[in-house]
Amino acid sequence: QVQLVESGGGLVQPGGALTLTCTASGIKLDTFTMGWYRRAPGKQRELVARIPNYGSTYYADSVKGRFTISRDNAKNTVYLQMSSLKPEDTAVYYCTAGIYTTYWGQGTQVTVSL
């Protein structure tokens, strides 16, 4: 059974930082394109960042220069380092595996507020 488990979400003040972690079981991430999506209240789901097993990473314009996606294949884990957080970054963040987002995690809440 494939599972993606996100962690690291929480409440942070504007300008703060968080690192989200996605750990996989049941699959080897080194063959997968990995991504982070988010869904904010009342908004459509948005691709935040994507990292292939080879090639260039992708970032949404709204997070460029503030977020960094990385992977540790030995630990079967993907990270999303978020800095200079803004209230508009508030959302549930989901980890995905596969170029066609075959697998999804359950999500972790990130709230940016005073």
Side-chain angles (χ1 to χ4, degrees):
Q1 183 180 358
V2 176
Q3 278 193 315
L4 301 177
V5 179
E6 303 97 334
S7 61
L11 173 64
V12 63
Q13 292 186 349
L18 283 174
T19 296
L20 305 184
T21 300
C22 171
T23 302
S25 59
I27 56 173
K28 288 289 290 178
L29 295 188
D30 58 359
T31 62
F32 285 82
T33 291
M34 301 299 297
W36 285 96
Y37 283 75
R38 68 185 179 187
R39 185 190 292 275
K43 294 187 177 181
Q44 289 190 331
R45 188 174 60 201
E46 173 189 22
L47 172 60
V48 175
R50 183 173 57 212
I51 183 168
N53 48 349
Y54 63 92
S56 301
T57 54
Y58 163 86
Y59 295 96
D61 287 343
S62 57
V63 307
K64 278 181 183 176
R66 301 188 299 121
F67 289 13
T68 301
I69 188 171
S70 61
R71 62 195 300 161
D72 185 336
N73 290 334
K75 294 183 178 180
N76 228 30
T77 298
V78 177
Y79 305 95
L80 185 68
Q81 295 173 278
M82 306 184 295
S83 63
S84 302
L85 283 161
K86 304 175 181 179
E88 51 263 43
D89 295 317
T90 295
V92 179
Y93 284 72
Y94 299 90
C95 172
T96 66
I99 188 68
Y100 299 115
T101 60
T102 303
Y103 303 108
W104 289 77
Q106 83 289 349
T108 186
Q109 176 71 47
V110 172
T111 302
V112 184
S113 179
L114 291 171

